[in-house]
Amino acid sequence: MNTLKRAAIGLFCLLLLVGSIILAVWIVRPQWLQLKPDEKVEADHEPEPIKPVEPSEPVIVKSRAEELLSEMSLEDKIGQIFFIRCPLDEELESVMELQPGGVILFGRDLNGKTSQEVIDKNALLQSMSKLPLLIGVDEEGGIVNRVSWNPALVPTPFPSPQALYNEGGLAEVSQDAKTKSSYLLALGINVNLAPVADVTDNPEDYMYPRTVGLDGEGTAAYVAAVVDAMNEMQIGSCLKHFPGYGSNIDTHEDIAVDERAKEVFYNQDFIPFKAGIDHQAPAILVAHNIVTCFDELPASLSPTIHELLRNELNFQGVIMSDDLSMQAIRKFTDEQEPSVEAFLAGNDLLIITDFKAGAAAMKQAVDEGKVSEERLNESVLRIINWKLSLNLMD
């Protein structure tokens, strides 16, 4: 009996303790437990509003080329798009005031000169230029050598592409390109207007002696080997003569008309150019031939040809015209200044003898709105980027 009584009293005490705890929790329960649906807790004071984070100014990282472009005057930009014949000493100051993008050395600038004389002249040209100059030469080997015809500059003339290939294949071609590049660089020359990417196997063709004399695929392998070697030596190369010279006559002397079908170009002539592009050739020179399957204009003046090069062959480097002083262009334009037309066609860099006339025509075209400064900037950026890739600038 006593045991049952004690158990009852214990249970009562336990129930009393639990009830007390429940009552205490209810009295001090958190405010959120007392809320009815849709009710909100009122704060004792208004909280400070959270200020939205202001977006930071966008970080615009300009390339070195863009920085240099932004510092250039309109006249300086116009000068950059011209690759001019090296001026004679008596013309040097007046010509260099126009700040060309580059100069090309011909026989008259090299014949009878010592290495030191050539080095000193190139250093003088560079010292007169705000931006480093492209200093170029045609040193293809064989019948087109400017430097190595002078034994004071190179002991023996550089062999033709065909002679090299027949002697030792692509290995000999590559080694020759490196040797040639080392001589040119030592003289202060940073661009060799080579290799010739034209395809012909007919010894009667005007261009044949300057080619490697193989079909499209064989010429493509030759072009790739030369471009790779020149890139390794950090000297500028230039594929020529787009869209392919074929059996055309010499455009130095007259207008050349090419009536071949498009299929011939796609299946043959374009193959070496595409190989050069794939191997990072920095520049391509466009010929003056009229290729009727694409346009009735000389290729160098044809927007269609330049769009093909940009859009179909995906070339993003510097496009340059062949020499605008050649008879093929002078006759076609009836002696009118061709620089503006060539630039609007899509060339970035214009090879020219009469630089003063070309620069004046371009300035007038910009002033009249025929050439936009935006279009000018596009080409100047490509040219500056080429110079930067050749380590011509700090």
Side-chain angles (χ1 to χ4, degrees):
M1 183 66 178
N2 290 337
T3 301
L4 289 174
K5 186 175 181 181
R6 282 196 301 272
I9 293 171
L11 179 61
F12 175 77
C13 290
L14 178 61
L15 292 173
L16 183 62
L17 177 60
V18 172
S20 299
I21 292 170
I22 292 172
L23 179 62
V25 171
W26 175 257
I27 293 171
V28 300
R29 67 193 183 281
Q31 189 177 23
W32 61 268
L33 287 174
Q34 304 175 47
L35 290 178
K36 295 178 181 177
D38 302 325
E39 287 185 341
K40 296 181 180 179
V41 177
E42 294 296 331
D44 293 336
H45 60 277
E46 286 294 323
E48 290 291 326
I50 299 173
K51 294 180 180 180
V53 177
E54 293 292 331
S56 60
E57 290 294 320
V59 178
I60 301 174
V61 180
K62 284 189 175 181
S63 70
R64 177 64 174 143
E66 290 172 321
E67 290 176 359
L68 292 166
L69 179 71
S70 68
E71 298 166 0
M72 296 171 67
S73 68
L74 174 60
E75 288 74 16
D76 288 343
K77 293 176 186 177
I78 288 172
Q80 283 298 300
I81 67 172
F82 289 95
F83 208 0
I84 69 169
R85 184 169 189 152
C86 185
L88 296 170
D89 290 344
E90 59 268 25
E91 304 168 336
L92 197 58
E93 189 171 344
S94 64
V95 169
M96 293 305 294
E97 281 179 356
L98 299 176
Q99 294 294 299
V103 300
I104 300 177
L105 307 180
F106 288 88
R108 74 178 189 188
D109 308 300
L110 299 161
N111 294 339
K113 306 288 186 183
T114 66
S115 294
Q116 194 58 53
E117 286 174 325
V118 175
I119 291 167
D120 290 345
K121 178 64 176 288
N122 289 338
L124 175 61
L125 290 167
Q126 293 288 16
S127 72
M128 300 176 78
S129 184
K130 295 177 184 177
L131 287 180
L133 291 162
L134 298 171
I135 298 183
V137 72
D138 290 287
E139 194 72 15
E140 299 171 5
I143 65 170
V144 180
N145 281 327
R146 308 295 187 201
V147 173
S148 62
W149 283 124
N150 180 351
L153 304 179
V154 179
T156 57
F158 289 111
S160 71
Q162 292 180 36
L164 289 168
Y165 186 80
N166 291 337
E167 181 180 340
L170 294 179
E172 190 70 20
V173 164
S174 179
Q175 184 56 54
D176 173 80
K178 292 176 184 179
T179 302
K180 188 183 298 179
S181 298
S182 66
Y183 273 102
L184 298 183
L185 289 167
L187 294 170
I189 297 167
N190 50 49
V191 172
N192 186 9
L193 297 171
V196 171
D198 300 301
V199 179
T200 174
D201 58 3
N202 183 358
E204 300 301 316
D205 289 345
Y206 161 72
M207 191 57 65
Y208 177 78
R210 298 167 62 182
T211 71
V212 73
L214 302 173
D215 62 10
E217 294 292 345
T219 304
Y222 161 76
V223 166
V226 175
V227 170
D228 284 347
M230 292 179 71
N231 284 345
E232 183 179 334
M233 297 297 294
Q234 292 195 305
I235 189 170
S237 62
C238 178
L239 312 181
K240 57 189 189 185
H241 308 75
F242 191 79
Y245 213 90
S247 59
N248 287 285
I249 63 172
D250 182 2
T251 50
H252 290 84
E253 304 297 334
D254 209 343
I255 296 172
V257 179
D258 190 333
E259 296 182 338
R260 290 179 295 163
K262 283 186 179 181
E263 291 75 15
V264 176
F265 288 91
Y266 282 98
N267 295 331
Q268 173 180 280
D269 294 68
F270 290 171
I271 295 173
F273 289 98
K274 188 64 172 69
I277 292 168
D278 290 344
H279 284 255
Q280 308 304 311
I284 293 179
L285 181 146
V286 180
H288 297 320
N289 303 337
I290 297 172
V291 184
T292 57
C293 64
F294 292 113
D295 204 341
E296 294 299 320
L297 296 171
S300 57
L301 305 182
S302 168
T304 301
I305 292 292
H306 289 78
E307 287 166 8
L308 186 159
L309 188 49
R310 291 285 186 214
N311 300 332
E312 291 194 46
L313 287 142
N314 196 31
F315 179 62
Q316 302 306 314
V318 171
I319 299 177
M320 70 177 81
S321 72
D322 208 341
D323 190 344
L324 294 174
S325 304
M326 289 182 182
Q327 288 299 316
I329 291 298
R330 293 172 67 89
K331 289 183 178 181
F332 185 85
T333 62
D334 196 23
E335 301 293 333
Q336 298 299 307
E337 167 54 45
S339 296
V340 173
E341 188 176 352
F343 186 71
L344 289 174
N347 294 289
D348 301 302
L349 196 55
L350 309 176
I351 298 179
I352 197 167
T353 298
D354 192 349
F355 175 35
K356 292 181 180 179
M362 193 64 61
K363 176 64 164 60
Q364 181 178 347
V366 175
D367 289 344
E368 293 175 353
K370 188 174 182 180
V371 172
S372 69
E373 193 161 358
E374 289 75 18
R375 168 68 185 87
L376 192 61
N377 289 347
E378 288 176 12
S379 289
V380 176
L381 274 175
R382 290 193 187 104
I383 294 163
I384 294 175
N385 274 316
W386 189 15
K387 293 180 177 185
L388 287 167
S389 74
L390 295 174
N391 291 325
L392 301 184
M393 297 182 236
D394 295 332

